[in-house]
Amino acid sequence: MYRIVKKRLLAQGIALLEVEAAAVAAKVEPGQFVIVRVDEVGERIPLTVMDFNREKGTITIVVQDVGYSSAIITTMNEGDAFQDFVGPLGVASEIENFGTVVCIGGGLGIAPIHPIARGLKDAGNHVISVLGSRSADLLILEEEMRAVSNEVVIATNDGSAGVKGFVTDGLAKVLSEGHKVAAIWAIGPMVMMKAVVEYTRPLGIKTIVSMNPIMVDGTGMCGACRISVGNETKFACVDGPEFDGHLVDFDLAMKRLAFYKDEENRAKARLECHHEGGHH
Amino acid sequence: MAANKIPRHEMPCQDSKVRAHNFEEVALGYTKEMAVEEAQRCLQCKKPLCRTGCPVEVLIPDFIKQIAEENFEEASKVLKIKNSLPAVCGRVCPQESQCESKCILGIKGDPVAIGRLERFAADFGMKTKKAEMEKAEPSGKRVAIIGAGPSGLACAGDLAKAGHAVTIFEALHVAGGVLMYGIPQFRLPKDIVQTEIDTLKQMGVEILTNQVVGKVTSVDELMANGYDAVFIGTGAGLPYFMNIPGENLNGVYSANEFLTRTNLMKGYKFPDYATPVKVGKNVAVLGAGNVAMDSARTALRLGAENVYIIYRRSRDEMPARKEELEHAEEEGIQFRLLTNPVSIEGDERSWVKSLTCLRYELGEPDASGRRAPVPISGSEFEIEMDTVVVAIGQGPNPLVTTSTPGLELNKRGNIVADPETLMTSKPGVFAGGDIVTGAATVILAMGAGKKAAAGIDAYLKTK
């Protein structure tokens, strides 16, 4: 069992969990992910890694209550344990000294961008982070991101913090300041990543995205996570999760994400029904 | 009545109309009376040819003799001498092309139902107390096995018997490999697999789940961390697709995904189990091997109305076991032979809508000796479809092989191993099963696991 040693609520419905998983913590690198299963009847859920501590043997994940399993995970507490916790999975980020880089995290995507930004900064890059959320109260990990960035730009849809608008507006601000940006990492909802790559495509700036499609095993065995990159089918679990964003077919990826929407809603409705005192 | 005059006992099965809608085991197993009578048909040949047809050389006449004499417990013990997973093999081995194909009774009539007797004896042994297995003195040697599928489990069983300390590293959250994720519950109940695995654990085999070798550790690291030998039995876990337009539409599954969701994750019990799996009204399964039959029969049980097997050759060339074909047909699976899909069409939401196929005819024999399917030009036709399952085979999963420098692979990415010892190009590292041969059967993988165990045992004695 993989015990939760620390839990912190980052915002409404968003929980940070530090989990004991020494073997994973010993090997994980920025950009990789884990798959967890809550209990015997649980799904295998891929989750990005927000942080790791090799000495303590822990992995920190951030989960938002958006679906059936994530709703269960966000209610887990310190001392609770995951039945299964597999990793590190996927290919690590290619981190080197590029010069100036921009790390864009949108919503929950700020969590996986955190170790990448830290890795890039440690490698000598000038790291400018652009953090986006719908509003100031949903903005997570700002302090942690400031600690691993040289500059931070915030964008909120309602203007309650930083630039009013989207992460692309935050990026526009960075670029307007005359930075020579060598590469961009963008992680967040598919629509956000798509918007970023469409923005950077005409500018010719290398833009790396991290794909989080539906997965089952996470080891290349089932092919559920296939996406189209440069008109070639790739398995996000073993070929990615990071890809050149300018080659990714986001429209297809978004449609594939919707495949189990009905089942997800059905399961979640049932879960909520259970929570309301067993009225079936 | 002379032994060879007793007719071969048919396997009692669930009625095809009933079973097409449940996940309970199709074959019900022999009663004691049936088993004894069937066992009495065995001629107890002095030179039993049946054994030469068995990849693990089960002591076939010996265990059958015990059944004939109603010593069922003893029969299960005799079985276990050569086969660490007999309840599995009694269910999924292609006996008709192995042991039973060599049976002398088969020349003029029906061979002894060796597989059904194996299942009977193994199940009997399971229900009573555990058959004790002889174990050698501890050797002080440690062996790491990568993959808890048929080859790894068979290898582990023999190594443990030989006194070595065995640890299995399994990537998934349960042991069993294809026995758990691939072969459906209705053909191989999962509690049977679990019981066989528990027996191995009782013998001292340690099984670590959630360990993706190639990521969390590596072959070289295992060798450096005190393992004296490593066996790689990672199987054929990389699904092939057809590379036709529309394969990434919603509703197209690899057979691996479709079966894994249903079997390993118990999607057929959704929402009690959280992993969904869905089929629409019309399901096409591309391919005609055992995995295709499993997928088709699974789709039927999940509620599909029309399930088609789409295959570009004819019935005679279908690679599935005859029994599986017959079971599928009885349940109402529809065969569209000499038919090959050329594209999958989707609706505005990118969900599968139809399948376009081309009709074929048989031409001259090809390199495989089978008559080559030749497309009939202008014969395209479209069938309405909601779900497509691609079951055209699997390749070697590269996670272990690409993380092991110095490991020789062939063109297809399979590991090259010495045919006798199964040692790879890396000293002390052995490999067997589908990762070496390409996708094959459970029993061939088990045979390889046992062969590797012998190779490893001999290697460890030289150290």
Side-chain angles (χ1 to χ4, degrees):
Chain A
M1 297 292 268
Y2 305 84
R3 211 164 51 92
I4 297 169
V5 295
K6 194 173 91 185
K7 178 181 184 175
R8 184 153 65 96
L9 272 180
L10 300 181
Q12 177 68 35
I14 302 180
L16 173 150
L17 302 170
E18 187 178 347
V19 185
E20 280 176 347
V24 184
K27 288 295 169 64
V28 67
E29 294 291 342
Q32 292 187 296
F33 65 99
V34 295
I35 282 186
V36 308
R37 207 165 69 109
V38 175
D39 56 24
E40 198 46 48
V41 299
E43 291 178 274
R44 293 172 65 95
I45 303 291
L47 294 171
T48 47
V49 170
M50 180 266 160
D51 205 354
F52 49 88
N53 187 322
R54 301 205 203 280
E55 289 72 41
K56 268 173 81 184
T58 59
I59 297 279
T60 301
I61 53 177
V62 176
V63 183
Q64 184 167 20
D65 170 10
V66 287
Y68 170 77
S69 293
S70 54
I72 295 174
I73 294 171
T74 49
T75 60
M76 290 172 80
N77 289 308
E78 286 173 14
D80 291 346
F82 288 95
Q83 171 111 3
D84 299 293
F85 197 98
V86 197
L89 297 170
V91 181
S93 307
E94 275 183 50
I95 287 178
E96 53 183 277
N97 191 351
F98 298 98
T100 296
V101 294
V102 176
C103 289
I104 303 175
L108 203 66
I110 297 171
I113 210 77
H114 171 262
I116 297 171
R118 181 174 56 198
L120 287 164
K121 189 157 180 268
D122 289 349
N125 292 280
H126 182 81
V127 176
I128 305 169
S129 291
V130 176
L131 313 180
S133 68
R134 271 187 284 142
S135 57
D137 57 330
L138 288 172
L139 186 72
I140 60 167
L141 302 169
E142 184 187 340
E143 202 181 308
E144 287 81 353
M145 285 305 296
R146 287 198 187 276
V148 297
S149 312
N150 298 89
E151 302 174 41
V152 171
V153 174
I154 287 165
T156 51
N157 300 7
D158 64 359
S160 51
V163 182
K164 183 175 190 306
F166 300 97
V167 288
T168 41
D169 298 303
L171 176 61
K173 181 170 180 271
V174 171
L175 296 175
S176 72
E177 286 163 2
H179 290 288
K180 254 194 92 182
V181 175
I184 295 173
W185 265 258
I187 309 182
M190 294 250 195
V191 275
M192 182 214 94
M193 293 193 286
K194 186 185 174 190
V196 171
V197 302
E198 290 314 327
Y199 187 86
T200 61
R201 194 190 308 275
L203 305 175
I205 306 171
K206 176 176 164 183
T207 304
I208 293 155
V209 297
S210 182
M211 303 301 282
N212 193 6
I214 294 171
M215 286 186 191
V216 185
D217 64 290
T219 64
M221 188 264 277
C222 85
C225 65
R226 58 197 191 278
I227 58 171
S228 180
V229 182
N231 286 323
E232 237 184 277
T233 294
K234 297 280 183 193
F235 290 180
C237 69
V238 287
D239 299 325
E242 291 186 357
F243 294 96
D244 178 344
H246 294 141
L247 299 178
V248 171
D249 182 343
F250 280 101
D251 292 336
L252 177 78
M254 282 188 264
K255 283 172 177 165
R256 285 185 65 79
L257 265 188
F259 187 51
Y260 286 109
K261 266 267 147 57
D262 292 349
E263 286 74 13
E264 183 79 41
N265 291 337
R266 215 176 116 201
K268 206 178 175 204
R270 201 170 97 126
L271 185 70
E272 280 154 9
C273 178
H274 278 287
H275 282 181
E276 282 158 19
H279 301 293
H280 297 285
Chain B
M1 195 156 37
N4 53 359
K5 291 291 189 315
I6 309 172
R8 176 175 157 120
H9 281 270
E10 287 304 318
M11 176 61 109
C13 285
Q14 266 198 77
D15 181 79
S16 60
K17 289 194 181 58
V18 176
R19 72 179 192 238
H21 305 289
N22 69 50
F23 277 86
E24 303 302 313
E25 194 170 13
V26 168
L28 302 170
Y30 278 166
T31 61
K32 282 182 189 174
E33 294 70 30
M34 287 176 187
V36 171
E37 270 198 34
E38 184 64 32
Q40 285 167 350
R41 295 181 65 224
C42 176
L43 300 176
Q44 293 292 320
C45 303
K46 288 244 156 44
K47 283 185 183 161
L49 291 176
C50 50
R51 286 195 63 202
T52 65
C54 175
V56 300
E57 297 167 348
V58 163
L59 302 168
I60 295 168
D62 310 66
F63 94 81
I64 291 182
K65 184 163 185 278
Q66 296 299 332
I67 295 178
E69 293 171 3
E70 302 192 31
N71 301 323
F72 306 134
E73 183 70 41
E74 192 56 32
S76 85
K77 279 188 194 164
V78 174
L79 252 183
K80 285 236 165 190
I81 293 171
K82 290 287 183 182
N83 189 341
S84 43
L85 310 170
V88 171
C89 291
R91 287 171 167 83
V92 302
C93 268
Q95 291 100 7
E96 66 282 358
S97 59
Q98 297 181 354
C99 51
E100 293 179 15
S101 74
K102 310 277 182 184
C103 178
I104 298 296
L105 287 186
I107 298 171
K108 285 192 173 166
D110 291 322
V112 174
I114 300 170
R116 294 167 189 171
L117 290 173
E118 177 180 36
R119 171 183 159 153
F120 172 81
D123 286 2
F124 189 90
M126 227 174 236
K127 280 191 211 114
T128 59
K129 67 176 171 51
K130 290 286 150 290
E132 288 290 311
M133 253 181 276
E134 301 275 318
K135 247 183 92 172
E137 286 295 299
S139 68
K141 304 283 192 205
R142 298 170 69 206
V143 183
I145 291 180
I146 305 171
S151 72
L153 294 174
C155 189
D158 279 14
L159 287 171
K161 275 187 217 168
H164 305 302
V166 181
T167 305
I168 305 183
F169 295 80
E170 167 56 44
L172 290 172
H173 55 266
V174 293
V178 74
L179 307 175
M180 290 303 279
Y181 75 75
I183 303 177
Q185 174 79 7
F186 56 84
R187 211 150 70 75
L188 179 64
K190 300 307 151 213
D191 52 342
I192 299 272
V193 181
Q194 200 49 57
T195 310
E196 303 258 39
I197 290 167
D198 289 344
T199 309
L200 284 177
K201 286 187 186 164
Q202 281 159 15
M203 290 171 65
V205 173
E206 180 186 29
I207 303 181
L208 304 177
T209 53
N210 296 328
Q211 305 295 315
V212 182
V213 177
K215 294 292 180 188
V216 76
T217 185
S218 66
V219 171
D220 286 344
E221 208 173 83
L222 291 169
M223 292 296 272
N225 288 347
Y227 287 97
D228 300 290
V230 173
F231 173 73
I232 305 171
T234 47
L238 183 76
Y240 288 143
F241 285 90
M242 306 264 308
N243 294 317
I244 57 174
E247 259 184 323
N248 291 335
L249 291 167
N250 284 343
V252 182
Y253 292 95
S254 73
N256 272 359
E257 182 190 355
F258 188 63
L259 294 172
T260 298
R261 283 182 177 275
T262 314
N263 301 322
L264 179 73
M265 306 310 296
K266 299 196 165 59
Y268 66 97
K269 293 184 180 170
F270 179 85
D272 289 340
Y273 280 74
T275 306
V277 56
K278 64 176 164 198
V279 296
K281 242 170 34 179
N282 301 305
V283 180
V285 176
L286 314 183
N290 290 322
V291 174
M293 296 306 140
D294 284 345
S295 302
R297 297 170 72 197
T298 295
L300 203 62
R301 284 159 172 79
L302 289 172
E305 286 172 25
N306 295 299
V307 182
Y308 306 95
I309 287 278
I310 304 207
Y311 182 51
R312 68 196 177 110
R313 295 176 189 257
S314 74
R315 193 180 176 96
D316 291 343
E317 288 85 18
M318 290 171 84
R321 286 182 68 193
K322 194 166 149 271
E323 183 181 300
E324 301 308 322
L325 268 176
E326 288 169 1
H327 277 158
E329 210 160 30
E330 285 163 19
E331 289 167 14
I333 304 295
Q334 302 169 51
F335 292 85
R336 294 286 179 271
L337 306 178
L338 291 166
T339 301
N340 202 34
V342 287
S343 64
I344 308 166
E345 287 72 39
D347 64 13
E348 65 291 341
R349 294 184 307 156
S350 278
W351 285 42
V352 173
K353 186 178 76 176
S354 64
L355 185 69
T356 299
C357 300
L358 201 59
R359 292 193 206 284
Y360 276 56
E361 59 191 353
L362 288 181
E364 296 300 309
D366 62 13
S368 72
R370 303 181 294 184
R371 290 181 64 190
V374 185
I376 303 171
S377 65
S379 67
E380 277 102 341
F381 66 101
E382 204 176 323
I383 335 175
E384 241 181 76
M385 212 59 75
D386 307 290
T387 305
V388 175
V389 180
V390 184
I392 56 166
Q394 301 90 236
N397 189 304
L399 282 186
V400 172
T401 53
T402 54
S403 64
T404 311
L407 190 66
E408 192 188 338
L409 307 179
N410 69 16
K411 285 198 297 258
R412 292 180 301 276
N414 293 107
I415 299 174
V416 175
D418 180 278
E420 292 311 312
T421 64
L422 293 186
M423 183 134 87
T424 67
S425 56
K426 280 175 89 83
V429 179
F430 297 73
D434 285 3
I435 190 67
V436 171
T437 58
T441 60
V442 167
I443 188 66
L444 283 173
M446 285 180 56
K450 290 177 74 77
K451 197 178 211 182
I456 291 168
D457 189 49
Y459 168 79
L460 292 178
K461 283 184 177 133
T462 66
K463 281 188 72 184

